[in-house]
Amino acid sequence: MQKTSSRLLALLSLLQAHRDWSGDALAQRLDVTSRTVRRDVHRLRELGYRIATVKGPAGGYRLEAGAQMPPMLFDDGQVVALAVALRTAAADASVAEDAARALATLRQVMPPRLRRSVDLLRVTAVEPPTARDSPPADPRVLLELSRVIQAREELRFDYVPLPVPTAGRDPGAATAGEAAPAAGGAPGTLADEASPVGAPAPAEGAVPVPAGETGPREPTPPAPAGPRLDPESPRRVQPHHLVTRRHRWYLVAWDLDRADWRVFRVARIRPRTPTGPRFTPRELLGGSTAAFITSRFRGNDGSTADWPCHGEVVLRLPAAEVAPFAGDGIVEELGPDRCRLALGSWSWAGLAAAFARFDAEMEVIGPPRLAAAFATLAARASRAANTTEPEPEQDG
């Protein structure tokens, strides 16, 4: 028979892994009598674990949540998984300090063999360029949003502008109310809550979620047309989902005053109290949160995750040089120095610029609207080239 201490740990492990256990099942798994199980359950209760007695023919036990976090029992694999998760979470500024303290606490109670293994595991989470000047979400706001989502309560909040960083600002990162560059920026970066070039910024201040799946910096269209409301008035929404993407938190919600789905930056949300009445959740466009967010980041209304514009060209570059920068595009090798590239983007001008960033001769396969976009882009580039005197080339 196991010693009492090891038997208590084994019993706790079983109660944590399964919601309800009958007394006979626990006795069989621990190879003890039912009376011993009852005594061990009593000992765990004295240590602070809330173990409820389940009524029924066979009787049983259930580990319930308590007012305080009792000691937990993890196997080796769970400890390593927790350490990896906490190291990764430490890159998120909104929970960085708490994650670091939790990891330090976990490491302190680890057995030496596990501590050595975890110390050998070094995880470096690389922040995307947009995270450098992006203010983190307030953990208290995240908790409040999670609560109202779970309770299905209407939410009122102020939607405040983000501070515009000055020193060291990424010149390509647009903020709300600014026009972001079209395609052709640095691969893998995003515009921050911007409207398409030439399009008005959304008056109500809701977030048109940025695109950027193929590499260039691409904003999404403004929010759908609706009533012109005071952008400084409190927002009234039915909150549905919290989403994190590239170190930014977003709230997906049904806007009651605009009668449409909106995506809000959590860093801009200032909740008001009290919250509103309960509501019945609506069906989200696209069928899932992931599909809806992907659609909005790609410039669609949320009903489809596909790009609005698609095209193909033949590039005079080897496929091996194109593939690392093609994002979710399709590269087909046509020869040692030629390949076919199919891409999608949020607009035809953005798509043409996405192809142009490969800086190579190309032939448009289709559709005709892509060829027309290249002509428009070429005319704009020609006019831009004539606005300043070119600098003389230097020898050597």
Side-chain angles (χ1 to χ4, degrees), residues 123-140:
V123 178
T124 301
V126 180
E127 291 187 356
T130 50
R132 296 170 187 163
D133 293 326
S134 181
D138 189 331
R140 294 169 297 181

Side-chain angles (χ1 to χ4, degrees), residues 88-297:
T88 305
D92 187 336
S94 60
V95 295
E97 183 179 348
D98 290 335
R101 289 194 299 111
L103 181 59
T105 301
L106 180 65
R107 184 184 179 281
Q108 187 176 4
V109 298
M110 285 181 187
R113 56 185 175 80
L114 276 184
R115 188 182 304 132
R116 287 192 294 269
S117 298
V118 169
D119 288 344
L120 291 174
L121 181 63
R122 297 296 180 183
V123 178
T124 301
V126 180
E127 291 187 356
T130 50
R132 296 170 187 163
D133 293 326
S134 181
D138 189 331
R140 294 169 297 181
V141 174
L142 289 172
L143 288 174
E144 175 62 12
L145 295 180
S146 299
R147 187 193 69 78
V148 294
I149 291 171
Q150 183 69 23
R152 298 179 180 177
E153 295 176 354
E154 291 182 5
L155 176 68
R156 296 184 308 132
F157 61 85
D158 296 313
Y159 202 51
V160 301
L162 293 175
V164 178
T166 53
R169 181 187 177 191
D170 179 359
T175 55
E178 296 179 303
T189 56
L190 296 173
D192 178 14
E193 303 174 346
S195 301
V197 175
E204 70 272 15
V207 182
V209 191
E213 299 292 310
T214 59
R217 196 187 316 277
E218 300 168 348
T220 56
R228 307 296 292 181
L229 302 174
D230 183 1
E232 297 185 359
S233 62
R235 308 302 293 262
R236 296 190 314 117
V237 302
Q238 294 176 345
H240 279 253
H241 301 279
L242 269 178
V243 178
T244 179
R245 188 178 194 272
R246 300 191 180 185
H247 293 264
R248 286 177 174 169
W249 286 91
Y250 299 93
L251 172 68
V252 179
W254 177 264
D255 193 309
L256 293 166
D257 295 321
R258 291 146 183 89
D260 198 6
W261 290 102
R262 291 291 191 269
V263 182
F264 301 93
R265 278 282 302 276
V266 172
R268 297 179 58 186
I269 292 176
R270 302 294 182 268
R272 290 194 174 197
T273 56
T275 54
R278 295 181 181 272
F279 64 91
T280 301
R282 303 169 184 266
E283 183 177 354
L284 190 64
L285 293 175
S288 70
T289 308
F292 176 80
I293 288 294
T294 299
S295 175
R296 291 298 300 271
F297 270 66

Side-chain angles (χ1 to χ4, degrees), residues 390-396:
E391 296 183 1
E393 296 185 2
Q394 297 181 355
D395 295 335

